[in-house]
Amino acid sequence: MSIPNSELILNPDGSIYHLNLLPDHISDTILTVGDPARVAQVSRHFDSVEFETTHREFVTHVGYYRGKRLTVLSTGMGTDNIDIVMNELDALVNIDFMAREVRPAEERLSLRIIRLGTSGSLQADVPIGTMLATEHAVGLDSLMQFYPLMETGLETEVATELQKSLGLSFTPYVVRGSDLLREQLGAGMTMGNTLTCPGFYGPQGRSLRLPLRQPDYISRLQNFRHQSGEGEFRLSNFEMETAGYYSLGRLLGHEVLSLNAIVANRATGEFAENAGAVVDAMIERTLQHLVAK
Ligand code: R1P
Ligand code: URA
């Protein structure tokens, strides 16, 4: 069935509406960053850049790193942007733009999507400078109100207990990411569970002039524990996109990994003196792992 113009929106040159990309522009491995300026911080390591485009907060460079074709793309902040990025990247590989039809299941591609983001730690033993690979993502945002995400046993248990423990009027969603990608690219990094918040201030327990509804919100997050056959579950860090990536990755069939450079620590009150260097170290390490045999 042909997808109407109002749903699969293409620009006059045939590129997808927000990302401004044609199917040939992207590679099967995609590095994503929140900050548009971080795209060049990644692509300056490339041997060559073959394509660049910018539209709104979505900046894309495509090139080669030690002979491997890579795309690096900025998303801006928040899971509302991740809804756009994941749906449009998927459309670029799994929808025939000429026929406006979803490709048959046997022709569909699974992308590898790796988020290289900054994050705040919730725990004193996850210090600034840590590179953390997300095992489970916990979403406090509303994105999964709109898609039929299937959660498994542990995911549902954690979601229900966290709702109770935080006194929320809604149930968070919990998604485990790709074990394969985490083992390949997160080797040697700290593993953790990442809380995705729909904001940087109140939703991450920051109070500048506005009081929080729950003054003990941060300590509730820090002290949350769930015991199961798989061991103890706690929240290690927070940011604003990972749960959107992991849930849409599961729904669309893409392998996704969120890597977090810890630049703030909410247990100790510190912020990195050189956040750029922490991010740089994570970029270099990820690129090296991507081409390691
Ligand atoms: C907030 O400062 C932003 O930083 C984190 C959060 O997820 C949010 O997007 O990630 P990035 O550094 O990738 O943008
Ligand atoms: N990004 C976030 O979302 N939170 C932090 O504390 C630091 C970076």
Side-chain angles (χ1 to χ4, degrees), residues 130-284:
T130 301
M131 296 178 209
L132 184 144
T134 301
E135 187 170 351
H136 292 89
V138 178
L140 293 184
D141 62 302
S142 62
L143 188 59
M144 283 305 120
Q145 300 289 319
F146 303 94
Y147 295 99
L149 179 70
M150 299 292 285
E151 287 162 273
T152 62
L154 177 66
E155 294 169 345
T156 316
E157 284 168 27
V158 170
T160 310
E161 279 189 26
L162 189 61
Q163 176 178 13
K164 237 186 283 164
S165 163
L166 297 182
L168 299 172
S169 58
F170 61 91
T171 315
Y173 60 100
V174 179
V175 207
R176 187 183 176 98
S178 158
D179 290 334
L180 185 69
L181 213 48
R182 196 173 55 256
E183 279 156 23
Q184 281 173 355
L185 299 178
M189 292 189 185
T190 299
M191 300 293 150
N193 299 313
T194 299
L195 186 72
T196 295
C197 301
F200 185 79
Y201 289 96
Q204 293 187 19
R206 289 187 171 92
S207 170
L208 300 183
R209 271 206 333 115
L210 292 176
L212 300 177
R213 261 181 204 257
Q214 292 180 357
D216 62 348
Y217 174 63
I218 276 284
S219 63
R220 288 193 200 202
L221 294 177
Q222 287 167 329
N223 296 327
F224 176 76
R225 297 289 182 276
H226 173 74
Q227 308 293 341
S228 76
E230 294 179 40
E232 183 175 83
F233 181 106
R234 70 169 185 172
L235 296 167
S236 8
N237 64 308
F238 47 24
E239 46 72 84
M240 295 170 59
E241 292 86 23
T242 298
Y245 278 112
Y246 278 20
S247 50
L248 291 173
R250 176 180 293 179
L251 287 162
L252 290 165
H254 301 296
E255 296 273 308
V256 189
L257 175 64
S258 173
L259 298 178
N260 302 267
I262 302 296
V263 297
N265 188 301
R266 300 298 294 289
T268 62
E270 299 162 286
F271 190 81
E273 279 172 18
N274 190 349
V278 180
V279 174
D280 252 334
M282 185 174 69
I283 291 170
E284 285 178 35

